[in-house]
Amino acid sequence: MDTDLDDIDRELIVALQLDGRLTYAELGERVALSAGGARLRVLRLEERGILQVVGVTDPLRLGYERMAMLGVTVQGDARAVADQIGKLDGVIYLVLGSGPFDLLVEVLAETPDALFAIVNDQVRAVSGVVSVQTFDYHAIHTHRFIWGPR
């Protein structure tokens, strides 16, 4: 946990989680800083890897036919396997886990055949992968990006 956040950093994070299109002037007004001061704070949060402002989309509405979560069991160093899988085209999110799966890997594919190729030809081919269980998505129901910093 990054304990170097002050109240202004926390307020900026919450404001951008609610609306990532706010201008630096609008952010500055919310936290009693100039636009330049707000910009410097946001840049510092980005440089530290705490904040990234992006446009969030629903890939299933953008023409991608398949999204899936892969539950991956590995033998050996899970981080090393994650490093290799994370480089694969189609992998959009990857977390190290505990429990029945060592890795949870979210993938995106243009067609059912492309999804099969990602799972069968790419992920299963990574050294250290023991098994892959695929959970196909039919729709994204809830997608939240709003939680305040602690």
Side-chain angles (χ1 to χ4, degrees), residues 29-43:
E29 284 178 25
R30 291 176 185 229
V31 297
L33 288 176
S34 66
R39 179 181 173 279
L40 289 174
R41 288 288 190 120
V42 169
L43 290 175

Side-chain angles (χ1 to χ4, degrees), residues 57-108:
T57 62
D58 181 342
L60 297 173
R61 292 179 171 214
L62 292 176
Y64 292 91
E65 291 184 25
R66 292 289 185 267
M67 281 184 79
M69 181 65 69
L70 310 180
V72 180
T73 305
V74 305
Q75 181 176 21
D77 185 354
R79 286 186 193 101
V81 175
D83 288 343
Q84 294 307 305
I85 292 174
K87 295 175 186 174
L88 300 175
D89 288 340
V91 172
I92 59 172
Y93 188 76
L94 190 152
V95 296
L96 297 165
S98 60
F101 303 110
D102 300 302
L103 307 175
L104 295 173
V105 182
E106 191 170 32
V107 297
L108 180 62

Side-chain angles (χ1 to χ4, degrees), residues 95-145:
V95 296
L96 297 165
S98 60
F101 303 110
D102 300 302
L103 307 175
L104 295 173
V105 182
E106 191 170 32
V107 297
L108 180 62
E110 292 180 7
T111 65
D113 288 341
L115 176 60
F116 181 77
I118 291 169
V119 174
N120 191 63
D121 303 339
Q122 295 181 38
V123 175
R124 285 193 173 121
V126 172
S127 179
V129 170
V130 173
S131 67
V132 179
Q133 190 165 350
T134 304
F135 302 90
D136 247 348
Y137 295 2
H138 297 286
I140 296 174
H141 182 274
T142 305
H143 204 189
R144 289 191 186 104
F145 293 96

Side-chain angles (χ1 to χ4, degrees), residues 21-63:
R21 296 171 295 177
L22 291 172
T23 66
Y24 292 123
E26 292 168 326
L27 287 169
E29 284 178 25
R30 291 176 185 229
V31 297
L33 288 176
S34 66
R39 179 181 173 279
L40 289 174
R41 288 288 190 120
V42 169
L43 290 175
R44 193 171 357 167
L45 291 168
E46 289 174 337
E47 288 169 359
R48 292 167 61 193
I50 294 170
L51 176 69
Q52 181 182 15
V53 181
V54 298
V56 178
T57 62
D58 181 342
L60 297 173
R61 292 179 171 214
L62 292 176

